[in-house]
Short mmCIF file of all heavy atoms in Angstrom, two decimals:
data_model
loop_
_atom_site.label_atom_id
_atom_site.label_comp_id
_atom_site.label_asym_id
_atom_site.label_seq_id
_atom_site.Cartn_x
_atom_site.Cartn_y
_atom_site.Cartn_z
N VAL A 47 6.14 26.04 11.75
CA VAL A 47 5.49 25.54 12.95
C VAL A 47 6.11 24.12 13.29
O VAL A 47 5.49 23.25 14.02
CB VAL A 47 3.94 25.30 12.64
CG1 VAL A 47 3.33 26.76 12.58
CG2 VAL A 47 3.69 24.51 11.31
N TYR A 48 7.28 23.79 12.85
CA TYR A 48 7.99 22.54 13.19
C TYR A 48 8.00 22.22 14.62
O TYR A 48 8.28 23.13 15.48
CB TYR A 48 9.47 22.50 12.56
CG TYR A 48 10.18 21.34 12.88
CD1 TYR A 48 9.88 20.10 12.29
CD2 TYR A 48 11.07 21.32 13.95
CE1 TYR A 48 10.51 18.93 12.68
CE2 TYR A 48 11.81 20.19 14.33
CZ TYR A 48 11.58 18.96 13.73
OH TYR A 48 12.17 17.83 14.05
N ASN A 49 7.71 21.07 15.01
CA ASN A 49 7.84 20.51 16.31
C ASN A 49 8.73 19.22 16.26
O ASN A 49 8.57 18.38 15.34
CB ASN A 49 6.40 20.12 16.84
CG ASN A 49 6.37 19.71 18.27
OD1 ASN A 49 7.01 18.81 18.70
ND2 ASN A 49 5.54 20.39 19.13
N PRO A 50 9.63 18.97 17.19
CA PRO A 50 10.52 17.91 17.25
C PRO A 50 9.68 16.51 17.21
O PRO A 50 10.25 15.44 16.72
CB PRO A 50 11.25 17.92 18.50
CG PRO A 50 11.27 19.40 18.90
CD PRO A 50 9.96 19.97 18.31
N SER A 51 8.41 16.51 17.53
CA SER A 51 7.56 15.27 17.51
C SER A 51 7.14 15.01 16.11
O SER A 51 6.59 13.91 15.89
CB SER A 51 6.44 15.43 18.57
OG SER A 51 5.52 16.44 18.12
N TYR A 52 7.31 15.97 15.26
CA TYR A 52 6.75 15.67 13.86
C TYR A 52 7.81 14.70 13.11
O TYR A 52 8.96 15.24 12.92
CB TYR A 52 6.64 17.03 13.15
CG TYR A 52 5.64 17.94 13.62
CD1 TYR A 52 5.57 19.29 13.20
CD2 TYR A 52 4.69 17.46 14.69
CE1 TYR A 52 4.53 20.17 13.64
CE2 TYR A 52 3.79 18.36 15.19
CZ TYR A 52 3.68 19.70 14.64
OH TYR A 52 2.69 20.50 15.19
N ASN A 56 3.83 11.43 10.85
CA ASN A 56 2.89 12.46 11.04
C ASN A 56 2.57 13.23 9.86
O ASN A 56 1.39 13.45 9.50
CB ASN A 56 3.53 13.41 12.14
CG ASN A 56 2.64 14.72 12.34
OD1 ASN A 56 1.69 14.58 13.05
ND2 ASN A 56 3.14 15.88 11.89
N TRP A 60 -1.40 13.44 7.33
CA TRP A 60 -2.17 14.68 6.69
C TRP A 60 -2.24 14.57 5.20
O TRP A 60 -3.30 14.88 4.66
CB TRP A 60 -1.51 16.00 7.16
CG TRP A 60 -1.38 16.03 8.73
CD1 TRP A 60 -0.19 16.02 9.33
CD2 TRP A 60 -2.49 16.25 9.66
NE1 TRP A 60 -0.52 16.12 10.72
CE2 TRP A 60 -1.93 16.24 10.86
CE3 TRP A 60 -3.87 16.44 9.43
CZ2 TRP A 60 -2.61 16.57 11.98
CZ3 TRP A 60 -4.52 16.60 10.59
CH2 TRP A 60 -4.13 16.64 11.89
N ASN A 78 -5.24 22.01 12.73
CA ASN A 78 -5.04 21.01 13.90
C ASN A 78 -4.10 21.61 14.91
O ASN A 78 -4.35 21.55 16.09
CB ASN A 78 -4.55 19.78 13.43
CG ASN A 78 -4.23 18.79 14.52
OD1 ASN A 78 -5.17 18.20 15.08
ND2 ASN A 78 -3.01 18.48 14.86
N ILE A 79 -3.09 22.30 14.42
CA ILE A 79 -2.06 22.88 15.36
C ILE A 79 -2.81 23.99 16.32
O ILE A 79 -2.64 23.98 17.51
CB ILE A 79 -0.95 23.48 14.66
CG1 ILE A 79 -0.08 22.48 14.13
CG2 ILE A 79 -0.10 24.43 15.68
CD1 ILE A 79 1.12 22.94 13.11
N ALA A 80 -3.70 24.71 15.64
CA ALA A 80 -4.48 25.78 16.45
C ALA A 80 -5.43 25.04 17.27
O ALA A 80 -5.59 25.57 18.43
CB ALA A 80 -5.19 26.70 15.48
N PHE A 81 -6.11 24.07 16.89
CA PHE A 81 -6.97 23.30 17.80
C PHE A 81 -6.30 22.73 18.88
O PHE A 81 -6.87 22.77 20.09
CB PHE A 81 -7.69 22.11 16.90
CG PHE A 81 -8.34 20.99 17.67
CD1 PHE A 81 -9.63 21.26 18.20
CD2 PHE A 81 -7.59 19.96 17.97
CE1 PHE A 81 -10.14 20.22 18.99
CE2 PHE A 81 -8.30 18.90 18.71
CZ PHE A 81 -9.51 19.14 19.25
N ARG A 82 -5.27 22.19 18.75
CA ARG A 82 -4.55 21.45 19.79
C ARG A 82 -4.08 22.55 20.90
O ARG A 82 -4.18 22.43 22.10
CB ARG A 82 -3.32 20.78 19.35
CG ARG A 82 -3.67 19.57 18.56
CD ARG A 82 -2.35 18.67 18.16
NE ARG A 82 -1.82 18.13 19.34
CZ ARG A 82 -2.26 16.98 19.97
NH1 ARG A 82 -3.24 16.25 19.38
NH2 ARG A 82 -1.68 16.47 20.94
N ARG A 83 -3.74 23.70 20.43
CA ARG A 83 -3.36 24.75 21.34
C ARG A 83 -4.56 25.24 22.12
O ARG A 83 -4.46 25.44 23.41
CB ARG A 83 -2.63 25.90 20.46
CG ARG A 83 -2.11 27.09 21.31
CD ARG A 83 -1.72 28.28 20.56
NE ARG A 83 -0.73 27.86 19.47
CZ ARG A 83 -1.05 27.97 18.23
NH1 ARG A 83 -2.20 28.44 17.72
NH2 ARG A 83 -0.21 27.64 17.32
N ASN A 84 -5.61 25.49 21.41
CA ASN A 84 -6.77 26.05 22.17
C ASN A 84 -7.51 25.04 23.04
O ASN A 84 -7.93 25.48 24.14
CB ASN A 84 -7.90 26.34 21.10
CG ASN A 84 -7.48 27.52 20.14
OD1 ASN A 84 -6.63 28.33 20.64
ND2 ASN A 84 -8.00 27.64 19.07
N ILE A 85 -7.44 23.71 22.84
CA ILE A 85 -8.10 22.81 23.67
C ILE A 85 -7.14 22.18 24.77
O ILE A 85 -7.45 21.49 25.77
CB ILE A 85 -8.76 21.64 22.82
CG1 ILE A 85 -9.80 21.10 23.60
CG2 ILE A 85 -7.66 20.58 22.43
CD1 ILE A 85 -10.84 20.18 22.81
N GLY A 86 -5.79 22.51 24.56
CA GLY A 86 -4.77 21.93 25.46
C GLY A 86 -4.49 20.49 25.27
O GLY A 86 -4.22 19.82 26.32
N ALA A 87 -4.47 20.11 24.07
CA ALA A 87 -4.29 18.51 23.86
C ALA A 87 -3.08 18.06 24.28
O ALA A 87 -2.96 16.89 24.75
CB ALA A 87 -4.50 18.27 22.27
N ASP A 88 -2.02 18.80 24.21
CA ASP A 88 -0.60 18.32 24.61
C ASP A 88 -0.49 17.90 26.06
O ASP A 88 0.45 17.02 26.42
CB ASP A 88 0.49 19.30 24.19
CG ASP A 88 0.63 19.45 22.70
OD1 ASP A 88 0.22 18.57 21.96
OD2 ASP A 88 1.15 20.50 22.14
N THR A 89 -1.26 18.58 26.85
CA THR A 89 -1.20 18.19 28.36
C THR A 89 -2.53 17.75 28.92
O THR A 89 -2.74 17.59 30.09
CB THR A 89 -0.79 19.55 29.02
OG1 THR A 89 -1.77 20.51 28.88
CG2 THR A 89 0.56 19.95 28.60
N ILE A 90 -3.48 17.38 28.06
CA ILE A 90 -4.85 17.05 28.46
C ILE A 90 -4.82 15.89 29.37
O ILE A 90 -5.63 15.57 30.21
CB ILE A 90 -5.78 16.81 27.25
CG1 ILE A 90 -7.23 16.97 27.69
CG2 ILE A 90 -5.41 15.58 26.43
CD1 ILE A 90 -8.17 17.02 26.56
N LEU A 91 -3.95 14.91 29.07
CA LEU A 91 -3.85 13.72 29.93
C LEU A 91 -3.46 13.89 31.38
O LEU A 91 -3.80 13.08 32.17
CB LEU A 91 -2.99 12.61 29.36
CG LEU A 91 -3.36 12.10 27.94
CD1 LEU A 91 -2.44 11.02 27.45
CD2 LEU A 91 -4.84 11.47 27.96
N GLU A 92 -2.69 15.05 31.58
CA GLU A 92 -2.29 15.32 32.93
C GLU A 92 -3.16 16.20 33.66
O GLU A 92 -3.40 16.16 34.83
CB GLU A 92 -0.83 16.03 32.85
CG GLU A 92 0.34 15.02 32.39
CD GLU A 92 0.41 14.72 30.85
OE1 GLU A 92 -0.05 15.71 30.14
OE2 GLU A 92 0.54 13.58 30.47
N ASP A 93 -3.64 17.26 33.04
CA ASP A 93 -4.42 18.32 33.67
C ASP A 93 -5.89 18.41 33.42
O ASP A 93 -6.55 19.29 33.98
CB ASP A 93 -3.83 19.78 33.34
CG ASP A 93 -3.80 19.97 31.87
OD1 ASP A 93 -4.69 19.46 31.06
OD2 ASP A 93 -2.81 20.68 31.34
N TYR A 94 -6.50 17.41 32.82
CA TYR A 94 -7.91 17.38 32.48
C TYR A 94 -8.74 16.54 33.48
O TYR A 94 -8.17 15.35 33.64
CB TYR A 94 -8.18 17.00 31.00
CG TYR A 94 -9.63 16.93 30.70
CD1 TYR A 94 -10.59 17.95 30.76
CD2 TYR A 94 -10.16 15.55 30.44
CE1 TYR A 94 -11.96 17.81 30.53
CE2 TYR A 94 -11.55 15.44 30.09
CZ TYR A 94 -12.39 16.49 30.11
OH TYR A 94 -13.75 16.47 29.90
N LYS A 142 -14.17 18.00 24.33
CA LYS A 142 -12.99 17.89 25.13
C LYS A 142 -12.75 16.53 25.68
O LYS A 142 -11.50 16.01 25.72
CB LYS A 142 -12.91 18.98 26.25
CG LYS A 142 -11.64 19.10 26.99
CD LYS A 142 -11.41 20.41 27.72
CE LYS A 142 -10.00 20.57 28.17
NZ LYS A 142 -9.87 21.92 28.84
N THR A 145 -11.60 14.25 23.01
CA THR A 145 -10.27 14.56 22.70
C THR A 145 -9.35 13.83 23.74
O THR A 145 -8.22 13.22 23.34
CB THR A 145 -9.94 16.10 22.67
OG1 THR A 145 -10.80 16.74 21.77
CG2 THR A 145 -8.55 16.45 22.50
N TYR A 146 -9.80 13.80 24.91
CA TYR A 146 -8.96 13.14 25.98
C TYR A 146 -8.91 11.74 25.78
O TYR A 146 -7.79 11.09 25.88
CB TYR A 146 -9.75 13.38 27.31
CG TYR A 146 -9.28 12.70 28.49
CD1 TYR A 146 -8.16 12.91 29.18
CD2 TYR A 146 -10.04 11.48 28.90
CE1 TYR A 146 -7.73 12.16 30.33
CE2 TYR A 146 -9.53 10.73 29.98
CZ TYR A 146 -8.47 11.14 30.69
OH TYR A 146 -8.04 10.35 31.73
N PHE A 148 -9.05 10.21 22.68
CA PHE A 148 -8.21 9.98 21.49
C PHE A 148 -6.81 10.20 21.97
O PHE A 148 -5.97 9.43 21.50
CB PHE A 148 -8.59 11.00 20.53
CG PHE A 148 -10.08 10.85 19.90
CD1 PHE A 148 -10.76 12.05 19.35
CD2 PHE A 148 -10.66 9.63 19.87
CE1 PHE A 148 -12.05 11.97 19.03
CE2 PHE A 148 -11.95 9.64 19.43
CZ PHE A 148 -12.65 10.70 18.92
N GLU A 149 -6.52 11.16 22.69
CA GLU A 149 -5.05 11.37 23.15
C GLU A 149 -4.62 10.17 23.97
O GLU A 149 -3.47 9.72 23.96
CB GLU A 149 -4.95 12.63 23.94
CG GLU A 149 -5.19 13.92 23.11
CD GLU A 149 -4.15 14.12 21.99
OE1 GLU A 149 -2.99 13.82 22.32
OE2 GLU A 149 -4.46 14.38 20.84
N HIS A 150 -5.53 9.52 24.91
CA HIS A 150 -5.11 8.36 25.66
C HIS A 150 -4.77 7.33 24.66
O HIS A 150 -3.85 6.56 24.86
CB HIS A 150 -6.34 8.04 26.53
CG HIS A 150 -6.17 6.60 27.27
ND1 HIS A 150 -6.27 5.40 26.66
CD2 HIS A 150 -5.67 6.41 28.44
CE1 HIS A 150 -6.02 4.54 27.48
NE2 HIS A 150 -5.63 5.04 28.65
N ILE A 152 -3.63 7.47 21.67
CA ILE A 152 -2.38 7.90 21.00
C ILE A 152 -1.19 7.55 21.95
O ILE A 152 -0.19 7.15 21.55
CB ILE A 152 -2.32 9.31 20.56
CG1 ILE A 152 -3.24 9.48 19.42
CG2 ILE A 152 -0.88 9.77 20.16
CD1 ILE A 152 -3.43 10.92 18.90
N LYS A 153 -1.33 7.96 23.28
CA LYS A 153 -0.40 7.52 24.31
C LYS A 153 -0.14 6.09 24.32
O LYS A 153 1.04 5.48 24.40
CB LYS A 153 -0.88 8.00 25.68
CG LYS A 153 0.16 7.80 26.72
CD LYS A 153 1.32 8.68 26.66
CE LYS A 153 2.31 8.54 27.78
NZ LYS A 153 3.53 9.26 27.71
N GLU A 156 2.08 5.12 21.30
CA GLU A 156 3.51 5.43 21.66
C GLU A 156 4.00 4.33 22.56
O GLU A 156 5.24 3.90 22.40
CB GLU A 156 3.56 6.74 22.31
CG GLU A 156 3.17 7.87 21.50
CD GLU A 156 3.04 9.22 22.04
OE1 GLU A 156 3.12 9.28 23.34
OE2 GLU A 156 2.75 10.24 21.40
N HIS A 202 -9.02 16.16 13.09
CA HIS A 202 -7.79 16.28 13.89
C HIS A 202 -7.10 14.96 14.17
O HIS A 202 -6.11 15.00 14.82
CB HIS A 202 -8.30 16.95 15.26
CG HIS A 202 -8.75 18.36 14.96
ND1 HIS A 202 -8.05 19.27 14.46
CD2 HIS A 202 -10.07 18.91 15.25
CE1 HIS A 202 -8.80 20.40 14.39
NE2 HIS A 202 -10.07 20.12 14.76
N TYR A 203 -7.73 13.77 13.80
CA TYR A 203 -7.08 12.53 14.07
C TYR A 203 -7.19 11.65 12.65
O TYR A 203 -7.63 10.43 12.78
CB TYR A 203 -7.70 11.83 15.19
CG TYR A 203 -7.58 12.55 16.48
CD1 TYR A 203 -8.52 13.50 17.02
CD2 TYR A 203 -6.49 12.35 17.25
CE1 TYR A 203 -8.29 14.18 18.09
CE2 TYR A 203 -6.14 13.11 18.39
CZ TYR A 203 -7.18 14.00 18.88
OH TYR A 203 -6.97 14.73 20.00
N ARG A 206 -5.82 7.71 11.56
CA ARG A 206 -5.56 6.93 12.92
C ARG A 206 -6.36 5.61 13.00
O ARG A 206 -6.04 4.74 13.75
CB ARG A 206 -5.95 7.80 14.04
CG ARG A 206 -4.93 8.93 14.22
CD ARG A 206 -3.63 8.43 14.69
NE ARG A 206 -2.65 9.58 15.19
CZ ARG A 206 -1.40 9.21 15.66
NH1 ARG A 206 -1.03 8.03 15.50
NH2 ARG A 206 -0.64 10.18 16.12
#
Side-chain angles (χ1 to χ4, degrees):
V47 292
Y48 173 75
N49 185 300
S51 66
Y52 296 170
N56 175 70
W60 304 109
N78 177 68
I79 291 170
F81 163 80
R82 295 185 66 84
R83 185 187 308 116
N84 291 337
I85 207 166
D88 290 339
T89 60
I90 199 169
L91 295 180
E92 292 78 34
D93 55 29
Y94 173 66
K142 188 164 187 175
T145 301
Y146 170 80
F148 298 148
E149 292 296 320
H150 175 275
I152 290 174
K153 182 69 174 176
E156 294 169 352
H202 302 296
Y203 298 92
R206 286 292 193 182

